[in-house]
Amino acid sequence: MNAERLTTPKENVQQLQEKLGHAAKENKKRRFHALYDKIYRMDTLWEAWKRVRANKGSAGIDGETLADIEKQGEYLFLYECHQILKEGKYHPQPVRRHYIPKKDGKQRPLGIPTIRDRVIQMATKLVLEPIFEADFQESSFGFRPKRSAKQALDRIRKACNRKGNWVVDVDIQGYFDNINQEKLMKLLEMRISDRRILKLARKWLNAGVMEEGTVRRSDLGTPQGGVISPLLANIDLNYFDILWERYGSEFGELTRYADDLVIVCKTKKDADRAYERIRAIMDRLELTLHPTKTRIVGLWTGEEGFDFLGMHHRKTKAETSQGKVYYTTQQWLARKAEERIREVVKERLAPPNMRHKSFLEHVEWLNPKIQGWRNYYYTAYSQLKLAKLDWYILQRLTRWYAKKRQRARWMSSLQEVRFLSSQYGLKTLL
């Protein structure tokens, strides 16, 4: 007789998610009450740990790194998580504030929770996500299982080609810092009646931010960088999606990716009405539209375009085989995305302390990046821009190589670098 095969933590979690998702779809009004014990199950915590570890990331305010946990023993760490959750002794620590410089000279704030908090947030996300997935709309694509930015871009392109000549390009001002926590908690309560889970969410919202040694707490917003933040943002903005379907869909088609959204409309009149309707819904959510970044774009003459998810969208003239002229929507990588790629390559190859690295080490570092960029940005209309970026990467490698070899003129090393690039299998964007 065959011994029964033991299921893995991943399979157990998948089964649990399927059950919860099915129950949520079956009954749209159902509120779930016995969920907390699913979060501290050891198989849920193992799966959460595996995902947090795969995302890499740095330490929170306690300084504990992923390597530290592996050293002390993963099982011990997860058993501690299990115990403090089970006994109701879990208290999240404030997130560590970290700033990422933006192109316009401003800085984007990121919150880095401790690894323990990330694992417990991930375990909670694994349990809650399938329940709220049952309620999320077709128009939403960001940070959802089996949904991607590419699908969002495809939806927009098709909407524009179906006589969508006007676009409302929406920017929510400081979204993550301005989420109304009380409204968010009410939206959570519409599906969750387990008090301990609601208490957990409340604790994360109130954990605060550690900056220069002091902790700041706010009754607005959710810290960017937390594992649970994208799910909470989707729960919050799903309210917008539902209200749009109900009161705005006659004016245009919505596509949303996290807090980025566009509405594709057929006429200028529809776009103006859509803009007013968006503003009214945002008022209900107590959110503000960015006064200069939110705009109405006319596509039909091909003179104007808009950027969304790193791609530029614009209508251009094309011809049928019978010589009939029509306009079609083209997408190519946006200027900002192009500059970002150049920046990443330059940051790697330009610094003097990178000269000791070998050619192969640089190729091994660049290849996965180039592959990722190609997968995302390649379209028939991006080819010229991608060819220029390929040349930029080759040029940067050549400059690095010439400096490493202490040669005054980098151009004289170009042939050599071309040869080495093909020998070591440097990937290209085209």
Side-chain angles (χ1 to χ4, degrees):
M1 200 171 102
N2 285 342
E4 215 173 283
R5 187 178 75 86
L6 290 171
T7 53
T8 63
K10 187 178 182 174
E11 288 167 333
N12 288 346
V13 169
Q14 275 171 347
Q15 279 171 9
L16 169 68
Q17 289 182 316
E18 277 163 24
K19 262 189 205 163
L20 291 169
H22 186 67
K25 274 194 192 97
E26 285 274 277
N27 181 354
K28 292 284 187 185
K29 296 231 173 351
R30 176 169 174 181
R31 292 173 77 220
F32 291 76
H33 64 277
L35 292 175
Y36 187 75
D37 59 326
K38 317 274 191 291
I39 288 169
Y40 64 71
R41 265 172 34 173
M42 283 303 284
D43 50 6
T44 312
L45 289 168
W46 265 113
E47 182 56 21
W49 159 249
K50 271 162 65 183
R51 293 189 187 201
V52 168
R53 191 180 53 192
N55 288 341
K56 300 189 170 71
S58 49
I61 62 166
D62 61 356
E64 188 172 44
T65 63
L66 292 162
D68 293 337
I69 291 165
E70 285 169 350
K71 211 156 137 192
Q72 72 167 54
E74 297 159 313
Y75 184 83
L76 185 69
F77 168 77
L78 294 175
Y79 187 70
E80 277 173 13
C81 292
H82 165 81
Q83 282 300 112
I84 57 170
L85 281 169
K86 193 177 176 180
E87 291 163 15
K89 290 177 182 170
Y90 168 67
H91 299 288
Q93 290 182 272
V95 298
R96 176 166 72 83
R97 179 65 96 208
H98 174 69
Y99 287 97
I100 297 169
K102 283 163 74 176
K103 271 254 84 47
D104 56 9
K106 291 180 184 165
Q107 293 193 309
R108 182 195 296 279
L110 259 194
I112 303 173
T114 64
I115 291 169
R116 185 182 301 279
D117 290 337
R118 296 211 291 271
V119 169
I120 292 172
Q121 283 188 19
M122 182 65 86
T124 308
K125 178 178 177 270
L126 290 171
V127 173
L128 295 188
E129 191 167 61
I131 294 168
F132 286 97
E133 266 297 314
D135 301 337
F136 291 162
Q137 304 296 298
E138 270 303 302
S139 52
S140 144
F141 292 87
F143 306 103
R144 290 182 59 190
K146 301 192 179 88
R147 296 198 140 222
S148 68
K150 290 282 263 193
Q151 291 171 326
L153 291 168
D154 204 39
R155 178 178 164 100
I156 289 168
R157 185 179 54 77
K158 285 174 179 165
C160 290
N161 282 340
R162 283 195 303 270
K163 297 187 177 151
N165 288 322
W166 293 86
V167 169
V168 188
D169 183 7
V170 181
D171 189 283
I172 306 170
Q173 200 158 8
Y175 173 68
F176 282 92
D177 295 331
N178 291 300
I179 290 177
N180 182 313
Q181 293 179 0
E182 292 313 310
K183 279 199 166 78
L184 177 57
M185 289 306 298
K186 282 198 170 65
L187 292 168
L188 274 170
E189 283 167 25
M190 286 173 84
R191 275 301 204 171
I192 310 296
S193 58
D194 188 328
R195 307 309 304 166
R196 291 175 302 173
I197 294 238
L198 296 169
K199 208 168 150 190
L200 209 51
R202 177 76 73 184
K203 279 179 179 175
W204 285 321
L205 291 173
N206 295 338
V209 172
M210 168 82 80
E211 202 166 1
E212 292 169 3
T214 56
V215 176
R216 277 189 309 105
R217 288 188 171 83
S218 166
D219 51 8
L220 273 182
T222 163
Q224 263 177 287
V227 173
I228 200 84
S229 291
L231 177 62
L232 294 177
N234 271 335
I235 292 167
D236 186 53
L237 284 173
N238 186 51
Y239 183 62
F240 175 87
D241 301 344
I242 290 168
L243 289 179
W244 181 262
E245 279 312 303
R246 209 172 288 164
Y247 304 114
S249 54
E250 62 186 287
F251 305 127
E253 184 173 286
L254 163 69
T255 302
R256 182 174 68 77
Y257 191 96
D259 61 326
D260 284 329
L261 56 117
V262 294
I263 313 272
V264 179
C265 311
K266 289 189 171 154
T267 64
K268 173 78 163 72
K269 194 176 170 186
D270 282 346
D272 289 334
R273 283 181 174 174
Y275 185 89
E276 289 312 313
R277 195 57 46 100
I278 293 160
R279 228 178 30 199
I281 299 173
M282 288 299 175
D283 281 349
R284 276 176 78 167
L285 280 165
E286 290 180 38
L287 293 168
T288 313
L289 296 179
H290 196 292
T292 54
K293 289 184 184 169
T294 300
R295 61 198 189 107
I296 292 174
V297 183
L299 295 178
W300 61 288
T301 56
E303 284 160 35
E304 257 191 311
F306 66 98
D307 290 349
F308 187 70
L309 299 178
M311 293 296 246
H312 185 71
H313 306 65
R314 190 180 286 253
K315 288 207 169 183
T316 48
K317 271 183 188 167
E319 248 181 70
T320 64
S321 50
Q322 284 86 39
K324 196 178 168 210
V325 172
Y326 66 101
Y327 278 93
T328 184
T329 310
Q330 298 188 354
Q331 295 169 325
W332 58 79
L333 79 161
R335 203 170 76 225
K336 258 189 183 170
E338 212 178 320
E339 284 166 4
R340 181 78 196 113
I341 291 173
R342 286 172 190 264
E343 231 169 70
V344 169
V345 174
K346 188 179 176 182
E347 275 169 17
R348 170 72 185 190
L349 296 172
N353 65 348
M354 281 294 168
R355 279 175 214 157
H356 70 280
K357 297 255 185 216
S358 69
F359 200 99
L360 181 61
E361 280 175 297
H362 283 314
V363 168
E364 283 173 347
W365 187 89
L366 284 166
N367 272 350
K369 296 253 185 305
I370 293 168
Q371 187 63 53
W373 292 328
R374 185 191 155 86
N375 291 348
Y376 188 75
Y377 292 112
Y378 182 88
T379 70
Y381 312 108
S382 282
Q383 291 183 0
L384 199 63
K385 287 177 182 294
L386 294 180
K388 280 182 181 168
L389 285 169
D390 274 336
W391 166 239
Y392 180 79
I393 293 167
L394 191 68
Q395 195 184 320
R396 273 279 154 215
L397 258 177
T398 309
R399 285 171 187 272
W400 163 82
Y401 188 76
K403 288 210 167 94
K404 187 180 171 79
R405 292 276 179 274
Q406 293 177 337
R407 295 174 185 163
R409 294 183 57 226
W410 66 271
M411 279 300 278
S412 59
S413 304
L414 188 60
Q415 283 312 103
E416 215 174 320
V417 169
R418 277 189 199 277
F419 173 74
L420 288 168
S421 296
S422 86
Q423 197 181 21
Y424 289 123
L426 177 71
K427 294 190 173 188
T428 57
L429 289 158
L430 252 195

